Structures are given as C-alpha cells and as structure tokens.
Amino acid sequence: MASHGARGRGGGRPTLEEVAARAGVGRGTVSRVINGSPRVSDATRAAVEAAVAELGYVPNTAARALAANRTDAIALVVPEPETRFFAEPYFSDMLRGVGAELSDTEMQLLLIFAGSDRERRRLAQYLAAHRVDGVLLVSVHADDPLPDLLSQLEIPAVISGRRSADETLPSVDSDNYGGGRAAVEHLMARGRRKVVHLAGRLDVYGAQRRVDGYRQALLDAGREVDDRLIVPGDFTENGGRRAMTLLLERCPDLDAVFAGSDVMAAGARQVLREAGRRIPDDVALVGYDDSAIARHMDPPLTSVRQPIEEMGRTMIDLLLGEIADRRPAVSRGLEKRQLVLPAELVVRASS
Amino acid sequence: MASHGARGRGGGRPTLEEVAARAGVGRGTVSRVINGSPRVSDATRAAVEAAVAELGYVPNTAARALAANRTDAIALVVPEPETRFFAEPYFSDMLRGVGAELSDTEMQLLLIFAGSDRERRRLAQYLAAHRVDGVLLVSVHADDPLPDLLSQLEIPAVISGRRSADETLPSVDSDNYGGGRAAVEHLMARGRRKVVHLAGRLDVYGAQRRVDGYRQALLDAGREVDDRLIVPGDFTENGGRRAMTLLLERCPDLDAVFAGSDVMAAGARQVLREAGRRIPDDVALVGYDDSAIARHMDPPLTSVRQPIEEMGRTMIDLLLGEIADRRPAVSRGLEKRQLVLPAELVVRASS
DNA sequence: AGGTACTGTGGGAGCGCTCCCACAGGTGAT
DNA sequence: ATCACCTGTGGGAGCGCTCCCACAGTACCT
C-alpha cells in the first residue's frame, strides 16, 4: 500500500536490480539485454524489455562508466577563440557533419574551446581525467602541443588536415593538391595564358600542397613554372592585397589568379579593380574554400570546395574505429588511418 | 624493482587508495583534501598534496559521479537548429558569458541542439539519464514542452527571457519594458511628435513588454496612445516592410518609428526610403537588439542593447545556486529567482 | 577527577553497473 | 551410455569514489 506503479519509492530512479526482479531474471541477463548481446533467448528478452518499459528504466551512465571504463562521449576540440569559431563557416559545417554521423550512436559530443592558455590548461586537466573516449581536433597548427599530449595520454584522436606529409595521428584531409590542380587546369582550359598563384602561409601543409598542385598543372600543360609568380599571403584580406600588388608588378600581363583562399581573393579583387583590370574579362580569379564570401562577391567567385561536412563524418568514423580497436588488447595494425577526400571546383562568374 | 616513480604499474591511473598509501594516511583523508574540506590539519594536507603531485593523481569522474550522485556538468540547450545558432550573435554572446562564468568552476559545459524532433527525443533520453546537474535553456518559445519536462524530472534549470508574466522557472530576462520606454523617451526628447511602434510578435512576452514600455512613455509625456499606430511584425525583414507600409498609410505624418527588432527596422528603412522619407531628417528610426545589422546600417541604427553576455553569466549564477540548494534536503525558500537586467539605448545617426 | 565538546582521522558500506566464472540443461557425436 | 560442447542464465567481485560512523586525542569546563 506504499508506492504505486512505475518507479519505486523515494523518487529514485529504478536500477538494473529492480528491473531484474520485475522481469524475474538475474542482473546479468538484464545487462545483456540492455547492451544488445545476442546470447539471450527471445522470450527472456521480451520479458526484460517489458520490465524496462514499465519501470521507465534508464541506465546510470556513471555506474556504467565506472564499471566499463568508458564514457560514451567524445570531444570536438577547437584550438581557437570562440569568435573565430562563430565567424568561419568551416566550423559549423564540420559540426553538422559530426553531429549527423553521431546521431546514430549513443555517443555524446562535447564542444571544447581551447583558445586561451587558461582554457588549454583546463582542457589538459580534462583529458587527464579521461572524461572522453576520444578527441576530434580541428584546425591544428603545425607546432601545437595538443596532438602529442593526446598520444601521451593514449587517448584516441583524429585531426582534420595534417601537420606534415608524414602525419602520425589518424587524420582526414581534403585533396589540396588536386584542388590546386583543378583550379589551374580550369583557368588554362578557359584559355588563360599567364596564371599566377597567390599562395597561403607556406608553413601550413595544406597551403603547400595547393602550390604543388599549381606547379604540376602548369608542368603537365608543358608550361614553365616561374617561382616569382608564386607569392605567399597570410590568409588575410590584407595579405591578399599585398601579394596581389607584388604579382602585378612582377607580371603586368597576367590574365589569371589562383588564390589560396577566398578571403585573399577578396583582397586581390580590390587591387585588381584599382588597377583597372576587369574580372573576368581581363583577369580570371579563382579562390579556395567556397565560403560565403565567394558566393556574395561581385562577380561571384569561382572557388575550390572542400567537403567539410563529409570530412566531419569521416573523422567520426575513424575515431569510432580507433576507440573500438583499443577495447580488446589487440591492435589490428595500421590500416588506412590517413584519409584524403576529394576537393571540387565550383565555377562561377569570376573565371 | 618493478615500477618506477610516477604512476604505478600497468599504465593505469593512480587511485585515491594509492595516494593514501603514499601519503601514509587513510582514504577518507585524501578525499577530504581533494574536496577542500577544512577539517584536515595543515601537515596532513601538505603530505597528501605532495603525494597527489608525485603520482599525478586525477580523480576519476565516473566514480565520483556514482558515489556522490552528481555529474559536475551542465547543459546549454538550444531549442533551435544549428544554423540559427551560428547565424545569430545572440547565442555566441550568451555562450561567451556562460563560458566566462563557468571557467572559475569545475563544471563542464555541454552544448546541445534540440532543433529537430529527433534531437529532442535524444535530449529527453539524455535528461532522463540525469547526465547533467542542471540545464540552461535559451530562446524558449511559449509552448515549448521542455521546461515542463525539466521540472518533472526535477532537474535544476534556468531559462533566458520568460514565457509569461508569472514565470515559474528561474529566469533571467532583460528589461524589455524599460528598453521600450527608453527608446520612445529618446525619440520624444529629440523633438519627435508622432512616434509609432513597429512591434514584434505579440505572443512573445518580451515583445509585449516593449509595447507596454512604448505606451507608458507616451502616457507619461501626456500624449495619447493610438492602438492603430502599434502594428505587429513577425521579427522578419519582410514583416517589417509590411508593417511599415501599413503604418505609413495610417499615419502619413509620422516622424519617428520604434521597431521591435533591428531586422524589422531594416525592412522599415527600405519602405521609408521608397516613400521618399529621409532618415533621420524626416523620420527617426530606433531598433532593438543592437545587432551587427544596426552598426552596419546606413545610417547606423540607434538600438536598444540587451546585456546578453551578462545575462549568460547571471543565468549560471542562478543555476549553480539552484543546484547547491538541492543538495541538502532544505529548500531555502523562494528567493529572487526571476531576474531582470537593464537594457541600454545605444544612440547612433538614425535618430 | 570526571564530564562535555570539539578536531582530526581511519575505514566500512554502498553507489549501479560490467565482466566473467560457474553451472544447468540440451544436443549430437562416439 | 558417455563424453564433449554448445546456449542461456545467475550472481560474485570489483570499478574508485563519497558519506558517515566510530574513535583517539586534546582542550576546557565544572
């Protein structure tokens, strides 16, 4: 005459034990049903599921984490201040891909910013406490200590892009080389004779690869590569302006510019306008990233699109694999752990 | 002769027990030191802290959560699709305030989107599992079932804004009434004779309060309020255009418009331009939100600023209080649980 | 001297799971 | 019939903490 129906007395949540009692089975059996083990007869499974439904049972995550030594959570770590995170579509696209791929899973996603030193210290503490099963690291700089910290703590991790040609961590990159090639081949196919390259920061691996693509496209077409026509910007609008100015000086008869980012292309466009060059009539312009800037530029900018959302999805796949691999003490050896996804040229009016 | 120095054998992390052994004290004492209990002598505390440092001890969160029945995590729930989250400065400001206030704490912040039905079901499951100690609910609609779910699960929660005049949940709102008043008083002080109001959706409590402020400012100045000069838009640019058109019809000699949001003000501006009214010469215009739109409008828009970042900080304060209150079985009664922060008029060239 | 009341400390019990060993009962080979 | 070997099941042990009771030691009152 005390309690009544669903959940026992005291407002506490039902436990495995209570479900077991209700279903007339043992604790182990309920656990097996909850975790989808095949070693349960259909009749028993049905009985347990009924009891779960009646009691409104929800597993206690903390207890599970303690007993099984896993958290069912992964972190998306953004080593940038929040402002950049909100400003750049890169991150929201990535987040969408990650979220989509994760929604089929029981895994929980945590978003962690590590822009300031203080935040980084917190993060280190957090990782040391093993509060996540794995980490997704986006936008890593070549000298970032985070990747090393992660492997030292033996926490599964996947990075977007890569730090160098011989990246050791599992990674998902886009084909910067192919993207660069495609941009330049497109410009040549449009009949452009003098294609110059406004490069990104050359200490960023991806930017370097775009340069390689630029080079190879010219060579394959039997043209010469003039290193003086490859001028690095710093990924900013101002850098794009400076580099473009230099390029115009060095090569007044250029008729095509391949820029390593849309933002730099925007800077270049201003300089070209001021120099009286019409786009695309006098000079064709191609950017990189296919960001909002590209679509809203006047004229709309041809740009190389990276499949960021898909990269996010792929990173999750890789990471879940890494996590699964580490559960039994067998490492199934190194499979494909560095993936490269294709980039795609989006042609608009600027070329 | 087996292991060496920091952390024992087997790569496992050190436990409380090991720290206790190392420091030559009992388990309970170490726990007390870790949790900052004052009931420990200075000498003992120092010994324990040394052992902690030597072993690189980090508490196991899962064990703590299981034993103490808390998670040290709170969730920021955004009942919107991710796109809106990234598009509106409101959320990033809020997140900044929340993050700042939380960084002094051990609390972890989770960001959860609940835009789609699917995401909502996941969230419900998540909350039922009590995976967070508390919830911050931003941008709640009047008919949202989430607040009720939270109180049913007895999870501490704080909402931004409020659903009605008699909001039951702890909440942090900004002074929409005062903001509306300030806008209108400012327009009258500038010598405007005919101030009309382009209102927001009237089923949104905050929008309603802005109308109240508009009314009262006029009444206090001894003017009449004509309800036909209060036209609701729907917070969109188009809605602003439609409402403005109507207002011009009803009151051709208006010389000031108070709009319930910057976006609607932008729509109103277009209609005014097309009607040949100059801003601010013929018509003064004031918006609400002080968003990026306001700063970039031509002319820059006078607007009412809400202290969103501070609202975020305050929400955390309230929530942490709620959580703390629920730990001992004493409810210290209802204190100030519905806070209202002042709004501030930012004057620019449009008025 | 005995009482009362603190402070500081040790360690048992228990949080709700998972893991795994033990074992019953069935099945098919020898 | 005997053995080997499955499938399905129960339940003990233990994950690493917190909570709390017990108790030694000291201090200060009567």
Side-chain angles (χ1 to χ4, degrees):
Chain A
M1 195 135 280
S3 63
H4 62 299
R7 43 197 69 178
R9 80 218 66 244
R13 300 156 51 200
T15 69
L16 248 205
E17 198 90 47
E18 287 165 31
V19 175
R22 174 107 185 187
V25 300
R27 197 164 20 76
T29 301
V30 177
S31 177
R32 254 161 261 150
V33 172
I34 298 294
N35 294 291
S37 158
R39 314 183 122 318
V40 181
S41 73
D42 289 350
T44 310
R45 163 167 290 114
V48 170
E49 278 167 353
V52 166
E54 283 165 30
L55 296 175
Y57 171 74
V58 178
N60 180 319
T61 345
R64 173 177 286 176
L66 178 59
N69 196 32
R70 63 202 168 89
T71 64
D72 292 324
I74 67 175
L76 177 67
V77 173
V78 184
E80 307 275 351
E82 297 171 14
T83 28
R84 265 204 68 196
F85 181 80
F86 283 98
E88 297 187 22
Y90 181 88
F91 295 108
S92 69
D93 288 349
M94 176 70 70
L95 192 59
R96 188 172 314 118
V98 165
E101 193 70 9
L102 228 42
S103 67
D104 308 323
T105 323
E106 295 287 76
M107 285 276 180
Q108 171 67 17
L109 181 70
L110 307 189
L111 188 56
I112 303 185
F113 299 99
S116 67
D117 276 353
R118 180 180 190 161
E119 287 172 333
R120 289 194 158 242
R121 253 172 282 127
R122 267 199 112 197
L123 174 61
Q125 190 75 6
Y126 195 80
L127 295 176
H130 285 261
R131 294 189 65 166
V132 286
D133 292 338
V135 170
L136 247 37
L137 213 46
V138 299
S139 166
V140 201
H141 297 287
D143 54 344
D144 198 311
L146 231 37
D148 293 331
L149 174 63
L150 285 166
S151 38
Q152 189 189 312
L153 289 169
E154 299 183 38
I155 296 176
V158 175
I159 67 175
S160 71
R162 44 169 65 197
R163 291 169 294 169
S164 69
D166 47 319
E167 175 63 60
T168 50
L169 244 53
S171 65
V172 176
D173 200 359
S174 74
D175 183 6
N176 290 295
Y177 172 79
R181 267 183 81 122
V184 176
E185 282 167 0
H186 161 74
L187 288 168
M188 292 190 299
R190 284 279 207 263
R192 302 293 167 164
R193 310 297 319 164
K194 220 45 176 176
V195 183
V196 304
H197 183 26
L198 203 173
R201 286 178 45 178
L202 297 184
D203 58 341
V204 172
Y205 182 74
Q208 189 60 257
R209 291 299 286 157
R210 291 171 199 172
V211 174
D212 295 345
Y214 164 81
R215 287 196 129 88
Q216 197 57 47
L218 291 183
L219 292 176
D220 285 356
R223 302 195 186 178
E224 268 179 27
V225 174
D226 181 352
D227 276 353
R228 289 170 23 91
L229 302 187
I230 302 173
V231 176
D234 55 1
F235 283 126
T236 68
E237 194 164 337
N238 254 321
R241 266 197 292 268
R242 279 196 302 272
M244 192 65 240
T245 307
L246 196 55
L247 283 165
L248 275 177
E249 277 172 24
R250 289 184 179 172
C251 182
D253 60 331
L254 61 84
D255 63 357
V257 178
F258 167 41
S261 84
D262 289 347
V263 176
M264 291 195 297
R269 195 207 60 158
Q270 294 170 23
V271 172
L272 288 169
R273 281 274 169 87
E274 287 160 14
R277 315 281 178 121
R278 290 166 304 167
I279 298 173
D281 309 59
D282 302 326
V283 177
L285 185 58
V286 173
Y288 213 103
D289 290 340
D290 191 32
S291 58
I293 302 170
R295 286 186 293 279
H296 294 135
M297 202 180 284
D298 173 34
L301 181 69
T302 295
S303 188
V304 179
R305 197 184 87 84
Q306 309 181 66
I308 301 179
E309 199 171 324
E310 193 187 340
M311 287 174 69
R313 270 185 270 123
T314 310
M315 287 176 74
I316 289 291
D317 286 346
L318 262 187
L319 186 60
L320 294 182
E322 287 287 314
I323 293 170
D325 279 7
R326 231 162 280 198
R327 303 265 216 243
V330 255
S331 76
R332 58 171 189 193
L334 308 183
E335 304 187 10
K336 258 278 187 288
R337 306 204 311 159
Q338 271 83 29
L339 297 186
V340 178
L341 268 38
E344 174 199 3
L345 188 71
V346 180
V347 179
R348 296 202 182 83
S350 74
S351 66
Chain B
M1 200 140 276
S3 62
H4 63 296
R7 41 197 70 178
R9 79 218 68 242
R13 299 157 50 199
T15 69
L16 247 204
E17 196 91 47
E18 288 164 30
V19 174
R22 174 109 185 185
V25 300
R27 196 163 21 77
T29 302
V30 177
S31 177
R32 254 162 260 148
V33 172
I34 299 293
N35 294 292
S37 158
R39 314 184 122 317
V40 181
S41 73
D42 289 349
T44 310
R45 177 184 312 276
V48 170
E49 278 167 354
V52 165
E54 283 166 29
L55 296 176
Y57 172 74
V58 179
N60 181 319
T61 345
R64 175 177 286 175
L66 179 59
N69 195 32
R70 61 199 170 91
T71 64
D72 292 325
I74 66 175
L76 176 67
V77 173
V78 184
E80 306 276 350
E82 297 171 14
T83 27
R84 265 205 67 196
F85 181 79
F86 283 98
E88 296 185 24
Y90 180 88
F91 295 108
S92 69
D93 287 350
M94 177 69 70
L95 191 59
R96 187 171 315 116
V98 166
E101 194 71 8
L102 228 40
S103 68
D104 308 322
T105 323
E106 295 286 78
M107 285 277 180
Q108 172 67 17
L109 181 69
L110 307 190
L111 187 58
I112 302 185
F113 299 99
S116 67
D117 276 355
R118 180 180 189 162
E119 287 172 332
R120 288 193 160 241
R121 254 172 281 127
R122 267 198 113 197
L123 173 62
Q125 190 74 8
Y126 194 79
L127 296 175
H130 286 261
R131 293 188 65 168
V132 286
D133 293 339
V135 170
L136 247 37
L137 214 45
V138 299
S139 168
V140 202
H141 297 286
D143 54 345
D144 198 314
L146 232 36
D148 293 332
L149 175 63
L150 286 165
S151 40
Q152 188 188 316
L153 289 169
E154 298 182 41
I155 296 176
V158 176
I159 68 177
S160 71
R162 45 169 64 197
R163 291 170 293 169
S164 70
D166 47 320
E167 176 62 60
T168 50
L169 244 52
S171 65
V172 177
D173 200 358
S174 74
D175 183 6
N176 290 294
Y177 172 79
R181 266 184 82 122
V184 175
E185 282 166 0
H186 160 75
L187 287 168
M188 292 189 297
R190 284 283 206 262
R192 303 292 169 164
R193 310 297 318 163
K194 223 27 177 193
V195 182
V196 303
H197 183 27
L198 202 172
R201 286 178 42 178
L202 296 185
D203 57 342
V204 172
Y205 183 74
Q208 187 62 255
R209 290 299 287 158
R210 291 171 199 173
V211 174
D212 294 345
Y214 163 83
R215 289 196 128 88
Q216 197 56 48
L218 291 183
L219 292 175
D220 285 355
R223 302 195 186 179
E224 267 180 30
V225 174
D226 180 352
D227 276 352
R228 288 171 23 92
L229 301 187
I230 302 174
V231 176
D234 56 0
F235 283 126
T236 68
E237 194 165 338
N238 253 321
R241 266 196 293 268
R242 277 196 303 271
M244 192 66 240
T245 306
L246 195 55
L247 283 165
L248 275 177
E249 276 171 24
R250 290 183 178 171
C251 183
D253 60 330
L254 60 84
D255 63 357
V257 179
F258 167 41
S261 82
D262 289 348
V263 175
M264 291 194 296
R269 194 206 62 160
Q270 294 169 23
V271 171
L272 289 169
R273 281 274 168 86
E274 286 159 15
R277 314 283 179 118
R278 289 166 305 166
I279 299 174
D281 310 58
D282 302 326
V283 177
L285 185 58
V286 173
Y288 213 102
D289 290 343
D290 190 32
S291 59
I293 301 170
R295 286 187 293 280
H296 294 134
M297 201 179 284
D298 172 35
L301 181 70
T302 294
S303 189
V304 179
R305 197 184 86 84
Q306 309 181 66
I308 301 180
E309 199 171 325
E310 192 186 340
M311 287 174 69
R313 270 186 270 123
T314 309
M315 287 176 74
I316 289 291
D317 287 348
L318 262 188
L319 186 60
L320 293 183
E322 286 288 314
I323 293 171
D325 279 6
R326 232 162 279 198
R327 303 264 216 245
V330 256
S331 78
R332 56 171 192 195
L334 308 184
E335 304 189 9
K336 258 279 187 288
R337 307 203 310 159
Q338 271 86 27
L339 297 185
V340 178
L341 269 39
E344 173 199 4
L345 188 71
V346 179
V347 179
R348 298 202 181 83
S350 73
S351 65

